[in-house]
Amino acid sequence: MENKRLSDPIPFEISNIEWKLTIDSLEDIVLLLDADGRIVRGNRVIEKWGLGIITEINGLPFNQLLHPNCSDSNCYLKRCWQTANQSLSQKMPYSFEVKDTTLNRYLRFKFLPTAMEKDSLKLRHKNIAYAVLLIIDYSKQKYVSEQLHQFYVEMNAIFHALKDQCIRIDSVGNILSCDGYSGIPSLNAKSIGMKILSIMPNSFKDQCAKV
């Protein structure tokens, strides 16, 4: 009875379904690759990105999934597998970020080694996963980061253009920067990082104490 329970395929089928549901619910593309960089399996995010149908991608080189019929001999996807494979063969991960002009996305690639050895006889079968590839779209984060940087550049230019003294401090009163004309002799470049009250006249300190 115990042996029958252990050999029962139903628990495996259930766990397999749960695994597929979990992988398909992710926002990132997950690909299992063989030792030649061809797709063994992928999640349904591929379809959400409009890259193909999940049942038709097995055996396709991963670069052709992202850039089908690519004629660019210098395409980064055609070159990255060789570099990634050097790390994977040593059981080391490999990652990089790129602005993909074909897909119009900022992408982060993460190649992760599996437990299989490249020279294993099992890898001769095309359905054995040699590596995991995660493709993460961080376009929204990149856009926000660029907008914040642009805002900082513009505000910095405004501060430097002011004729009055501008002092920027953090939430605990440490001086971050000071621009413009200084009417406070002790306020200079060496003041960065000091407490604002430590360089202010006593009359100003008294006023702050009343607030």
Side-chain angles (χ1 to χ4, degrees):
M1 184 68 178
E2 185 66 23
N3 291 335
K4 183 180 184 303
R5 186 179 298 113
L6 291 174
S7 62
D8 192 343
I10 295 179
F12 172 78
E13 293 175 0
I14 294 176
S15 63
N16 190 37
I17 292 173
E18 291 176 340
W19 174 249
K20 288 181 179 180
L21 290 174
T22 301
I23 293 298
D24 289 340
S25 67
L26 299 177
E27 296 181 354
D28 309 318
I29 289 179
V30 181
L31 298 176
L32 299 183
L33 306 177
D34 67 14
D36 297 320
R38 296 179 179 274
I39 299 171
V40 175
R41 183 179 297 182
N43 64 348
R44 292 194 177 277
V45 179
I46 292 167
E47 297 179 351
K48 295 178 182 178
W49 284 27
L51 298 176
I53 300 174
I54 192 69
T55 57
E56 298 178 356
I57 64 171
N58 290 3
L60 186 71
F62 76 91
N63 61 295
Q64 291 185 20
L65 173 69
L66 298 173
H67 292 178
N69 304 318
C70 180
S71 59
D72 183 2
S73 60
N74 198 38
C75 177
Y76 75 94
L77 282 175
K78 294 179 179 178
R79 294 180 282 108
C80 74
W81 174 246
Q82 182 177 0
T83 305
N85 206 12
Q86 293 176 356
S87 296
L88 293 171
S89 63
Q90 301 177 29
K91 293 301 178 183
M92 298 289 291
Y94 174 75
S95 63
F96 67 93
E97 295 179 350
V98 66
K99 180 181 180 180
D100 192 300
T101 55
T102 300
L103 298 176
N104 196 27
R105 297 172 184 260
Y106 285 92
L107 300 178
R108 182 178 297 116
F109 287 76
K110 292 186 177 182
F111 292 86
L112 305 172
T114 65
M116 295 299 300
E117 298 291 341
K118 186 175 182 180
D119 57 355
S120 171
L121 292 177
K122 292 182 179 180
L123 287 181
R124 294 181 180 177
H125 300 283
K126 296 302 182 181
N127 61 343
I128 299 296
Y130 167 64
V132 180
L133 172 57
L134 305 179
I135 306 177
I136 303 166
D137 182 358
Y138 70 103
S139 302
K140 293 181 180 179
Q141 296 92 320
K142 183 69 174 180
Y143 174 77
V144 172
S145 176
E146 290 178 345
Q147 292 298 307
L148 288 174
H149 176 72
Q150 182 63 28
F151 174 77
Y152 175 80
V153 170
E154 293 174 355
M155 292 302 296
N156 202 42
I158 292 173
F159 282 128
H160 281 290
L162 291 174
K163 295 182 179 180
D164 297 325
Q165 181 68 41
C166 274
I167 305 172
R168 284 174 285 179
I169 62 175
D170 61 18
S171 59
V172 294
N174 296 318
I175 299 174
L176 298 176
S177 66
C178 50
D179 305 295
Y181 169 76
S182 176
I184 305 173
S186 59
L187 185 59
N188 51 50
K190 295 181 179 180
S191 304
I192 305 300
M194 297 176 61
K195 293 290 185 181
I196 182 65
L197 291 180
S198 67
I199 53 90
M200 288 297 181
N202 290 331
S203 58
F204 180 83
K205 294 178 183 179
D206 295 338
Q207 292 178 7
C208 289
K210 297 176 181 179
V211 177

